[in-house]
Amino acid sequence: RRILKFYFLPTVRNWVSEGQGRILQRFPEKDWEDNPFPQGIELFCQPSGWQLVAERLPASFFVAVLTDINSERHYCACFTFWEFVDPQLQRAEPCEADEDETPREVQTSHLYAPKSLVLVSRLDHTEVFRNCLSLIYTVHVDGLSVPLETVIGNLLTCIIPIAGGSQRTITLGAGDRQVIQTPINESLPVSGCSVAQLFRQLGIVNVLYLFCAALTEHKILFLSRSYQRLTDACRALLAIMFPLKYSFTYVPILPGKLLEVLSTPTPFIIGVNSTFRSETQELLDVVIADLDGGTVTIPECVHISLLPEPLLQYTQTALSTVLDPDLQVADHAFPPSSIQSSSLKIQDKEIRAVFLWIFAQLFQGYRWCLHIIRIHPEPVIRFHKAAFLGQRAQTEDDFLMKVLDGMAFARFVSERGPPYRSTDLFDDLIANQVERIRQEEVFPHKVMNHIKELAEHLFKNENPYPAVAMHKVHRPAESPQNCPAHASASFPHLDEVTVQLFIDHAHAKLRSAPPVVKAELKSMVPSGPHLADFVERNGNVLANSARRLEVVRNCITYVFDNKMLEAKKLMPAVLRALKGRAARVCLTQELNQHVQQNRAVLDDQQFEYIIRMMNCTLQDCSHMDEHGIAAALLPLVTAFCRKLGAGITQFAYSCVQEHSVWTTMQFWEAMFYSDVQNHIRALYLETEEGTMVDEGLSGAGKSALELASEQRRIWPTLSKEAQQERVQKEESTVFSQAIHYANRMSYLLLPLDTSKNRLLRHTGLGDGESVSNSYVTNSIAGSMAESYDTESGFEDAETSDVANYVVRFINRFVDKVCNESGVTNEHLKALHTMIPDIVQMHIETLDAVHRESKRLPPIQKPKLLRPTLLQGEELVMDGMRVHLIPDGREEVMGVMGGPPLLPAEGAVFLTSYRIIFKGTPTDPLVGEQVVTRSFPIAALTKEKRISVTLPMDQFIQEGLQLRSCTFQLMKVAFDEEVASDLAEVFRKNVHKLRYPQHVQGTFAFTVGQATRLVVEQKSKDKNQSLKTLSKNLVKTAKRTIGRQHVTRKKYTPPTWENRSSLQSEMDEDEISVCEEPDQSSLTMSSTIRSSDRQTMSNVVERACCRDYQRLGLGTLSNSLTRSKNEPFRISTANRMYTMCRSYPGLLIVPQSIPDSTIQRISRCYRQSRFPVVCWRNSRTKALLLRSAGLHAKGVVGFFKSPNAPSAGVGPSQADSTSLEQEKYLQAIVSSMPSYSEATGRNTLSGYSSSHTNLSDKLRQPKIGALMRQVMGGKEDIPGTFSRGGKWGSIRGSGRLSVYNPDVGNRLAGKESPQPNGGPADTYFLRQQRAYLYIIGDKAQLRGGKQDSFQQWEVVPIEVCDVRQVKNSFKKLMKACVPSSASPEPNMTFHRCLEESDWMGLLHRVLQVSVLVVELLDSGSSVMVSLEDGWDVTTQIVSLVQLLSDPYYRTFDGFRLLVEKEWLSFGHRFSHRSAQTVAGQNSGFTPIFLQFLDCVHQIHLQFPMEFEFSQHYLKFLAYHYVSNRFRTFLLDSDYERIELGVLYEEKGERKNTTVCKSVWDYIERLTKKTPIFYNYMFAPEDEEVLKPYSFISNLKVWDFYTEETLAEGPPFDWELVRGRAEHVAEETGERADSVAPRSQRRIVWPCYDDCSKVLPDAITKLLQDLQALEAELGQVSEKWKETWDRIKTTQRNEPKLDSRPSFSSSLLMSSNLSHQRRSQSVYLQESRVCSSINLALDCEASATSTPAAGRTRTSTSTLYSQFQSTESENRSFEGILYKKGALLKPWKQRWFVLDKTKHQLRYYDSRQDKECKGVIELAEVESVVPGTPTMGAPKNIEEKAFFDLKTTKRVYNFCAENGLHAQLWVDSIQSCLSDA
């Protein structure tokens, strides 16, 4: 075989400007037959352009590569040298470049033109070309005696060896000798040193980027100044891509004139000289590699997918080891003396070996995914990409996907797919070394050994005989550029005839020689190990667990054995298991076993189950079907069927159509090829077995590729007829499969209901989302077609009907597969004719099936359960069938263990009070449980539509997500039977009920009335005239006195809260008020007329006055005068709510300040909320005041600073206002005993100065530290909360004018400079603290003079904004009740909680509260003056009182605290809770909830200090937003009076069924059950609590996170109790009928109410006691009486030395030596009786208060309710005779009427401590005069007898005389009317 070359000498026209090259001579002059001459070659000889130069340049050599139209590459070796140009010649020729150019432009005398010798060859032997061209040049330059024609003739006729590692020595007849070496294997590229060179130029990462860019078909451009470097770089990139071959534009050297080629849209690898760099800057999608600069630039818009991990990591490690061998031993203590670095040639091969190793891993097992669809006449092979990716679990890998889709891989399959061909190194690697690669990949040294072996193979391939070096080539004698300019003669014109003779002579010789045939060694290509063998490790371990597969097998067995109940139980587990691939494969295998002869007829239920499983299996299949699940199910969906009627059969395919895989063309192609391969394999197996029978061999175990290999081997030996026969058989096999697939496709693409010719709508199923259609239950009929929303990949979906689309889709498929697999045109035409008939026939069959399926009975749905309703609660909308869907809470979904309770099927009900879901879980294992989820409609915070898809029995379209501020979320999906307009009606009704027009539309007002949606009220004028208000007050008074004939006015005045006065009703007490009538208010009927007296009496009974009396701030006496030396008085200035609408009617102010001054002062404060006293410390007499912040400076003229001139205002007005403010503050300071003492006034008795000083010394450091924390200075204690900086800064700003700017300096222990700069005087030194601290808004402390005597100080803080609380609460709700599981793994519950900053807000409120407590305790008064005085202010003053005064930690005290500080002082409950339409936009702001959370935190730290339990706080948190009670409605007392709901009518009988006050409800409930009581209540006397407030000490309130699905929220007692009784009845019935049951039961924290199911020890004992009493027929005692009695006996028990018994250790009372501050587990958490062992050692008890040394006194002295003998609760008492029960005598008893507890108790005598019995007044129906009965006391008048009738019995009483009897009757009546 000859090197086929052209040889020619181009030169240049001698132009000055850039010119055009032309060919001077070419040899041979005619084209070779098989190798045409490439055009345009002159451009490539001078890629930068043909130019003349002024100085001779050195000769250059490079190889350009041209690609012809047949994709054949031509290598152009170009040798360029420079010749002198004669100036005469230059002038002779005109310039063609431009007519204006003149020869004068040439300035130089010497010019040189380039001339090139070019060799064009189909073979790539760079070095041989360089030597030959150099020799020709040397002969010319040195003038050797050899004729040039001889050299060129020899060059064109030399014989080169055939590939296979052979060598040949050639000579051109000029005394030269060189060796041509061919590679052993032609398929392996020859790279020389180019790969190593490329890595040195660009580095590992850059080359890897280029490698991946080339494989994923990006555009790559190389830049360099050297042309040879460009060629080498391109060659290197192609070499490392082996075994893939580059199939796009490949131009290693691109001439400058062709630069527009770079704009081509197709991928390319191109090299360009660096001089053209600027032209490449505008290329936006080209990866540019600068070889000289070592950079690779990737544009922003280009994304290069890199190798998948961990392969990328392995590759980088291997490459760095090859390129830098020292790297491995760089850290060794004793490195080897020297590591021999490989030579460049060896390194080149090692790098290539690394890439070969990569490809072996990427493509391992590829041969198992080849489909051979034709063997003869030529093999046709297709690659099953989906299976390849699926088995490797790399369907998501971007890089591999792109490589497999690329042209290079398609070429790889076509070249390497054939099973019978010659093999190379890569085939060997794939077949035999995959296992080795797998085992070694994690051991770098083993990997290197393998790479070195591969490198050796590659090196040997290029250099089989490396020792032979016989080159001998002449070089020019001296460097040509040193020659004189004219010395060098021009290259001569050669004689064409001489050269042609050489060529002809050689041809003749070749013809006579025998033909040389290269022996090609063909063999069967081994496939290597199967993919599945080594991919299992990527599989999901969980999904493959044997238990899951067992469940799937069992369920299928049950279905076919007709054990439907068992199958139903397993079904949910099966559907879960089918998420895993192994279970899906298992399902297809199991179903296959139940198909006989391609058919399996099932009954209806079996059919349903099989369909559900199939749909579930297909649901998670992607459109690629990479795991072959859809492929395995395809034959099954045409096998399973059910009989619908005579001759009508419904097949499974009609029920599993809604999956994207069926509409994907690639899936059908892969399926078709797979089946064709199986049939062709079967075809040849038959023929083989026929021939092999004699030899006893069988081909049954052979794969299709092995059979094909065998067939290809024997193909040349067959006769023409045999060959033709095989071709025909194969073709008809493909044809028959095409018909079969046309049928299959019509089955799965035509919907069941084709009668309407509905268009197949586009629903984006092509995106890989699939919709479950597990419908196909009994009602498969019409509903199927309705929901058929499949996109079938058809075009023009609007123009025609379903049938046409299906026909078109099948036609497209048939055209593609038949063309690829060589089906004849006749057969193809026949197919196109058949397809419409197939589709039409199938449509007719489906119509019959559709008709019959409509007659099937409908699906059996679970019965809807009715919810229990409260008394007065009515249904607004009846139950709508819905599915309750799981949200982001994991407990109910079975993730935490146990079967999932959700999703559940049931109904959603809308009542006047709640939204309720009630239903049963869809999981049959918990199908007997009832799931209830509800919340008050008033608590709804957000409602939005959602769309839902669930793998349930129906396809559900729309849903609703409802979120409530009681931490509940309801995601419901409406059932298909619910019309969408009904769902809309539901939404509108929800909206109307949630936001009524007026507060009277809320449930608290409408309860018990006929259900109607809210009556619209005319909105009242905000500034209603005072006349109307006083009218209302008078009306209220008249009603209150009891004049029943008064006609009812506009509003029905309902009974409201029962607030019993501490006085008896019979006393006409009046309040003592300061009678200095204010002139301005006299006109507004300020004096109290007689008609107002009862109203005022009611005002006095309000919480505020009761508390003021208790604190000694205002007493009740019979006169209106009072002692002037008392520091405070109760002012009635606001009794008509004229001064401040949001304040109560009666306020505590300093005695010395008249009402007129107060009126003026109030204007300085926002909302007129001026400072008033709300609490006094009983020990230090320090005061707690509250007010709003001051008005912003400059809002009104006279609020200006006194220093500023007040224009237009009376000269004294501004001064007088701030003066009056100061007087007011001074009056407060003066009232403090510590101030009187310091200024020499009389000291109040009982408050000694020594005590003050002692407590100061004790408290000072603690207050300083607290102040520093709150100030947020440098001395911050670690753990303080400084985020957000809201409370963080209490530093003075210096600009404050009204208060001392040295803010808290003394408290923080710092020196305070004198205001006047003078020396510190003794008074200031002695003074340690201010008398009054004002906690104020930082921004609002303006306007007034500085107090130079430092009697008050300001602590400015930044107020926590309402919006901040609102946003924090939203985030808290989302953290505690997420609507869906978070996709981000790091967004855990605790992270979301932290981001909400809720705990931070609690920390800040508690921190300030504790600071105030410390200040009050140290004797300083505090005024809290923040925002508008109704949000943060209320929180702080309430918490301060709770911490400082033990009374507020009891039931009565806490109620009083909330009524006083929250209700009377006007916290805006309606506005903050958005209770009406008006507040809808403001949203929900949980200020009160925040307060309750703070109380909960304190309760956790001090569990023994509170009489009420945590449940009490949760109850209030739930019902303050529920609108069940009227207590928390409206924004102030003024609004409540205006609506007539503040005071109840005395004459109206109490409605015992509906409670309007939450307090009444709690009181009633407490009598029945200890649910609100804290058994650990054992308070310290005068205990001041100082809780830790750091975030680390705070806990998330379980109110936010707990849920009881069994009964809904446990805060509506009637509902919970009703359910408990119902359950008890059920279990009782069961117990009678069934064998003895176990006492054990499963408790689910998210389902059951654990506090009921697992009560604490004491509750359990009390319950057991009640049960035993009931069993014995005794009248059961009230729990409180039992508890009090046991406590009393416990206290009175003599102390024994021995260890107390269990019964005594159970009871604690005051003998607990429990640690006061508890952060650990306490009684309510220890559920097990036996574990309670509370120490009762009285001597060991210790207190934690700072002023230690006080002895522990009895608990019961603190709160009178515990001791039945305390006088305060004895409203009336005396001796009565009582008739005993039936046949029992009259007995004399001591009776006590208790108004507070609403009881009539009796004792044996007055001194008796033990109560003998109780009559509950709630149960009394009437008190009537009685008559003496048998055995009555003698000598007593008849009027002394009276009877008390209760719901249970009639009691007969006898008093001492008629007068006493009348008193008793009146007192009892009064009590009843109060209730």
Side-chain angles (χ1 to χ4, degrees), residues 1216-1230:
S1216 67
T1217 307
S1218 47
L1219 213 67
E1220 282 172 345
Q1221 267 184 276
E1222 283 194 35
K1223 268 187 192 170
Y1224 190 79
L1225 293 179
Q1226 188 60 52
I1228 289 165
V1229 170
S1230 307

Side-chain angles (χ1 to χ4, degrees), residues 61-79:
F61 173 83
F62 58 83
V63 178
V65 181
L66 307 175
T67 310
D68 66 20
I69 198 161
N70 301 321
S71 300
E72 292 286 348
R73 286 193 185 137
H74 299 259
Y75 298 91
C76 299
C78 186
F79 184 100

Side-chain angles (χ1 to χ4, degrees), residues 44 63-68 71-75 124 189-190 194 214 218 220 222 227-241 245-255 261-262 264 266-271 411:
F44 289 87
V63 178
V65 181
L66 307 175
T67 310
D68 66 20
S71 300
E72 292 286 348
R73 286 193 185 137
H74 299 259
Y75 298 91
D124 182 13
V190 175
S194 58
H218 285 93
I220 298 172
F222 286 103
Y227 292 120
Q228 192 55 39
R229 288 271 175 97
L230 289 173
T231 306
D232 285 348
C234 294
R235 178 189 280 122
L237 190 54
L238 261 52
I240 59 176
M241 283 176 67
K245 293 184 180 173
Y246 195 70
S247 305
F248 294 100
T249 308
Y250 174 75
V251 187
I253 299 171
L254 183 72
V261 172
L262 296 176
T264 176
T266 56
F268 57 68
I269 295 176
I270 289 178
R411 186 168 168 186

Side-chain angles (χ1 to χ4, degrees), residues 12 146 501 727 829 866 946 990 1059 1106 1344 1588 1849:
V12 70
V146 185
L501 278 171
V727 170
K829 280 178 189 165
R866 309 288 298 176
I946 51 173
V990 165
R1059 297 190 171 80
R1106 299 219 312 273
Y1588 300 125
R1849 59 174 279 198

